[in-house]
Each structure stands twice: as structure tokens, then as C-alpha cells.
Amino acid sequence: MTEKLTSLQLSAEQITAALQGDDSHVTTHVVSLKPVPDYDADAIKAIREKLGITQRVLAFYVAVSPRTVKSWEAGKR
């Protein structure tokens, strides 16, 4: 009798096969990314002011500390 594999078990078997050189069940995707723009202190402050938000709010949205945003705008980072 053949055991029916769960999707997790099947994935584990496919990963193991791929690691051993059998990539017949592997799908790859090529993603092209644009370079990240380089913003200076004035640009960061101008963007924040145009949005009408505080340093603390910008920090929240980009997941950094308010101190980091302050450093960016001071040109220290």
C-alpha cells in the first residue's frame, strides 16, 4: 500500500532531492530589482515635510527608531 504524503512531507522530499542534485521538481523565479536611491539629509527631510509627518511617524513607517531618522536628517548616516 502506498502512503499518501502530506504537502509538508512532499515538500521535504523535494527539498532533499534538490539538495542531492535532482532539481526536476524545483521552480525558480528570477527577480530584477532596481537600485535603491541614495537620499541625502535634505532629501529625507524634504520628503518627510512634504508628507506632513513628524520624525517619529516616519520612523514608525520605515521601522527604525526616531533617533535614526534624526541622524539621517542631520547627515550623520
Side-chain angles (χ1 to χ4, degrees), residues 8-48:
L8 182 58
Q9 290 170 321
L10 181 60
S11 293
E13 285 190 0
Q14 291 171 342
I15 290 168
T16 302
L19 291 172
Q20 294 172 352
D22 176 9
D23 60 355
S24 62
H25 296 287
V26 177
T27 302
T28 59
H29 301 276
V30 176
V31 179
S32 298
L33 301 175
K34 295 178 182 177
V36 177
D38 190 20
Y39 295 105
D40 64 11
D42 293 333
I44 293 170
K45 186 172 183 178
I47 292 168
R48 182 181 59 77

